[in-house]
């Protein structure tokens, strides 16, 4: 696929799916004959090659998902630190330990020196990730507002910029599906 992306900048590239059964002896000549034969009969199964735009969307969505996992991991480390020091009661009744009030309380906790340093590092890391998350949210909003498919998707209740871009990235070129049944099957 990487090679097809490079070649598609200059040429109209088509990729063919490999055969269902592997031949006993594999050679380029046999592969070429098989591809030509299947193409003539109309049996060649073409593989979708996403455009560089769709590939970019897929990378952006993957980055956002990875960032979400990192944020969860840091929050879990903070929760573990709080439990290790028996400070859960400090946050009772608080709806969001990582909201403005919770972060203020976290930064002012009395802890042993090594735990205090660890908490400071976690909070710094969380702050960095929050800034990156904000930047990604802005990027998703920008893309979604300029992409017609995303605009249409956002008319569905509960579908915001991130989900709209993620759906667009996953589906790619919707015209590759002959009808809605094929799209549903793919989904």
């Amino acid at each position: 696929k990487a090679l097809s992306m490079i070649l598609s900048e200059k040429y109209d590239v088509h990729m063919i799916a490999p055969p269902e059964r592997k031949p006993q002896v594999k050679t380029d000549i046999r592969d070429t004959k098989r591809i030509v034969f299947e193409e003539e009969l109309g049996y060649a199964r073409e593989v979708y090659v996403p455009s560089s735009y769709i590939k970019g969307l897929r990378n952006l969505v993957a980055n956002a998902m990875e960032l979400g996992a990192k944020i969860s991991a840091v929050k879990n480390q903070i929760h573990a630190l709080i439990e290790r020091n028996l400070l859960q009661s400090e946050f009772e009744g608080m709806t969001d330990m990582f909201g403005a009030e919770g972060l203020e309380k976290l930064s002012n906790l009395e802890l042993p020196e090594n735990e205090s340093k660890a908490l400071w590092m976690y909070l710094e890391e969380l702050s960095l990730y929050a800034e990156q998350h904000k930047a990604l949210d802005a990027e998703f909003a920008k893309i979604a507002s300029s992409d017609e498919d995303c605009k249409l998707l956002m008319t569905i209740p509960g579908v915001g910029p991130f989900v709209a871009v993620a759906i667009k990235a996953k589906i790619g070129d919707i015209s590759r599906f002959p009808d809605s049944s094929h799209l549903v099957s793919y989904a």
Side-chain angles (χ1 to χ4, degrees):
K1 282 192 175 183
L3 185 56
S4 73
M5 292 298 290
I6 294 168
L7 291 172
S8 67
E9 292 174 10
K10 282 187 156 185
Y11 307 101
D12 186 23
V13 175
H14 299 268
M15 285 180 53
I16 304 296
E20 296 288 327
R21 261 183 339 137
K22 293 197 180 224
Q24 295 214 346
V25 179
K26 183 181 174 348
T27 66
D28 288 344
I29 292 174
R30 285 184 183 180
D31 287 347
T32 305
K33 285 180 181 178
R34 180 190 57 81
I35 289 170
V36 169
F37 180 69
E38 288 179 357
E39 182 64 31
E40 286 174 352
L41 294 176
Y43 293 143
R45 296 177 306 141
E46 195 166 325
V47 176
Y48 171 65
V49 179
S51 67
S52 57
Y53 175 69
I54 296 298
K55 188 79 169 154
L57 292 182
R58 288 178 177 181
N59 287 337
L60 190 63
V61 168
N63 290 342
M65 303 281 286
E66 187 178 313
L67 182 60
K70 288 178 180 179
I71 289 170
S72 291
V74 172
K75 286 181 176 182
N76 288 340
Q77 289 171 318
I78 292 171
H79 279 293
L81 185 141
I82 297 301
E83 288 182 23
R84 209 172 33 244
N85 289 281
L86 304 173
L87 295 172
Q88 301 94 313
S89 63
E90 295 285 326
F91 299 92
E92 279 182 13
M94 192 172 288
T95 56
D96 184 10
M97 180 190 290
F98 300 103
E101 182 185 345
L103 289 173
E104 179 69 29
K105 190 169 228 165
L106 279 167
S107 63
N108 292 321
L109 281 177
E110 294 291 326
L111 293 165
E113 187 179 349
N114 63 328
E115 293 282 52
S116 183
K117 285 180 182 178
L119 180 59
W120 177 82
M121 288 179 4
Y122 295 147
L123 291 174
E124 284 292 309
E125 189 175 2
L126 194 58
S127 175
L128 172 67
Y129 291 155
E131 287 299 314
Q132 292 174 351
H133 191 272
K134 193 183 297 183
L136 278 174
D137 279 348
E139 185 67 22
F140 283 115
K142 181 178 154 191
I143 291 168
S145 68
S146 65
D147 186 291
E148 292 304 315
D149 293 332
C150 290
K151 285 182 192 177
L152 181 61
L153 286 165
M154 288 191 302
T155 63
I156 301 169
V159 175
F162 172 75
V163 173
V165 172
I167 292 170
K168 168 86 180 209
K170 183 67 177 169
I171 292 172
D173 179 12
I174 199 159
S175 67
R176 69 189 173 117
F177 300 102
D179 54 44
S180 60
S181 299
H182 283 84
L183 173 61
V184 170
S185 177
Y186 174 77

